[in-house]
Amino acid sequence: MMDIRGRSRDELADWLASLGEPPYRARQLMRWIYRLGVVDPSAMTDLPRELRARLTGLVQRPDAVLQRLAAADGSVKLLLAYGDGVAVECVLLRHGYGYTACVSSQAGCAMGCAFCQSGQAGLIRDLTAAEMVGQVLALRQQAGGRPVNRIVVMGGGEPLANLDHSLRFLRLSTGSGGFGLSPRRVTLSTCGLVPGILALASQGPPVTLSVSLHAPTDPLRDQLVPINRRYPLAQLLAACRHYAQATGRRVTAEYVLAQGVNDRPEDARRLSSLTRGAIGHINLIPLNPIPGADFKRPRDEAVAAFARQLLDRGTAVTIRRPLGRDIGGACGQLRAAAGAVAEGTGRPAAEPGGKARKSPPGDG
Ligand code: SAH
């Protein structure tokens, strides 16, 4: 079976050539997939009937939606199941004029960050670019005709540990034959794999890079984000500077706030000086407690105070607004509820898009 999602136009053209079809059919297929969201060849009405019938027997079916949770604010969380029984979550987040699609890059995760649910069972497997495209297609069907005009690779998994498929997915997100978004509207979030950041800078489209900092010092970060032992903060921030220089794009950071762990005034002071000149913007994420770990979410006033301290030092900051609490709860909840064998995502029940808010932080 051929998965026509996740392929470049040239690859589709080669495949079609092997079936004796002209190269322009590749453009037709891409239009159906990325513009119209159709992967079933029998519905591709500008193909000759005979070819439609032939392709239908050769092309893989879309992924199954195991569960769907809709929030009052229009956000939707899906649990998708793949043929091998692996299940992952993806989320459609409502923003002003459209939607953000938040996709998973792996089932499970090998990074073992202390407060993240997706790492708890380790890595199940990498997702293919086709499966990442499939998440966007499935989410787009939930958007009720509104545009999905942002994509964030911030779901379960570490995208830079699945570099080739992630790069391929980013190209299809930004390329004119694919989803066609401006690289500014596509974000990849990483826990800090320095070689991957450098590879992204040289090989990827200039998407927005977001690094999950979570701690202002190496000893604390070593504990919260274990990959820091291999790529400590100085190296990580140097890679961020390099990325900004190579792409002309400002790098952003995520900082999950855990009560009594990394939310003290001295943490804010250190964070502000650490990131100066390397990070253009910090997105504070009030921790979403997960089972099996003792971390607590700070009170809203503490989050606001932390943000205020950064602002006072000239560090741009926003507080991530929680995604519809009515479907929220801990990440991986859908998967757990479905009793799926496979690992889901560790998405916090917070808005991965990190929409910038115009008002000063304080009501997070
Ligand atoms: N591996 C990538 C992308 C996936 S995680 C990365 O680390 O950036 C996306 C974001 O959610 C990361 O910033 C991650 O640290 C954060 N996150 C994970 N678990 C969380 C939790 N329990 N509460 C709040 N944010 C969490």
Side-chain angles (χ1 to χ4, degrees), residues 152-171:
V152 297
V153 187
M154 274 190 193
E158 169 48 50
L160 296 181
N162 182 16
L163 186 64
D164 290 347
H165 284 290
S166 295
L167 283 174
R168 183 179 269 273
F169 174 69
L170 295 178
R171 289 186 194 115

Side-chain angles (χ1 to χ4, degrees), residues 33-355:
I33 302 167
Y34 296 94
R35 282 239 233 122
L36 304 170
V38 171
V39 294
D40 176 3
S42 68
M44 299 181 179
T45 47
D46 58 356
L47 302 183
R49 191 179 299 271
E50 188 192 308
L51 177 61
R52 266 185 264 165
R54 191 158 164 229
L55 293 183
T56 302
L58 295 175
V59 164
Q60 193 157 314
R61 305 258 157 280
D63 309 313
V65 177
L66 269 193
Q67 289 235 12
R68 173 182 184 275
L69 278 186
D73 68 357
S75 300
V76 178
K77 200 176 196 181
L78 295 180
L79 182 68
L80 297 183
Y82 300 123
D84 60 357
V86 165
V88 300
E89 291 179 14
C90 53
V91 188
L92 186 69
L93 297 145
R94 182 72 187 271
H95 60 68
Y97 356 85
Y99 282 102
T100 299
C102 175
V103 308
S104 293
S105 57
Q106 297 179 313
C109 185
M111 296 295 122
C113 298
F115 45 76
C116 179
Q117 193 160 24
S118 119
Q120 283 183 339
L123 176 66
I124 311 293
R125 70 165 170 84
D126 287 338
L127 299 185
T128 63
E131 287 165 337
M132 293 188 236
V133 166
Q135 293 174 51
V136 178
L137 296 179
L139 291 171
R140 203 160 62 175
Q141 285 190 344
Q142 306 288 328
R146 280 175 180 271
V148 173
N149 47 24
R150 289 176 194 272
I151 294 177
V152 297
V153 187
M154 274 190 193
E158 169 48 50
L160 296 181
N162 182 16
L163 186 64
D164 290 347
H165 284 290
S166 295
L167 283 174
R168 183 179 269 273
F169 174 69
L170 295 178
R171 289 186 194 115
L172 287 165
S173 298
T174 54
S176 61
F179 291 119
L181 298 183
S182 153
R184 295 178 178 276
R185 293 180 167 267
V186 178
T187 298
L188 179 140
S189 177
T190 178
C191 65
L193 294 181
V194 166
I197 294 174
L198 303 180
L200 183 64
S202 63
Q203 298 166 47
V207 298
T208 303
L209 174 68
S210 183
V211 293
S212 293
L213 273 186
H214 308 332
T217 62
D218 280 320
L220 181 57
R221 195 164 192 271
D222 284 349
Q223 285 173 22
L224 297 180
V225 185
I227 197 70
N228 194 68
R229 297 170 204 160
R230 190 152 356 135
Y231 307 113
L233 282 167
Q235 274 186 48
L236 175 56
L237 290 159
C240 292
R241 283 193 199 87
H242 172 81
Y243 189 86
Q245 253 171 10
T247 61
R249 307 295 322 284
R250 142 189 115 149
V251 176
T252 65
E254 292 148 281
Y255 192 98
V256 166
L257 279 168
Q259 189 180 77
V261 174
N262 61 357
D263 66 342
R264 299 160 307 174
E266 64 259 42
D267 296 320
R269 271 200 301 279
R270 288 195 177 119
L271 182 62
S272 181
S273 34
L274 176 75
T275 52
R276 188 151 296 139
I279 300 292
H281 183 101
I282 296 178
N283 215 311
L284 296 178
I285 312 173
L287 178 115
N288 201 53
I290 60 165
D294 236 3
F295 296 102
K296 294 192 185 65
R297 174 196 293 250
R299 293 155 47 92
D300 286 354
E301 305 84 81
V303 173
F306 195 90
R308 172 64 57 198
Q309 277 152 354
L310 291 174
L311 275 180
D312 286 348
R313 292 181 167 75
T315 301
V317 58
T318 44
I319 299 172
R320 195 170 281 182
R321 124 182 98 85
L323 157 71
R325 286 186 199 249
D326 44 337
I327 62 166
C331 291
Q333 207 182 37
L334 257 192
R335 194 196 95 258
V341 194
E343 175 63 350
T345 82
R347 285 274 3 115
E351 180 177 15
K355 293 300 90 44

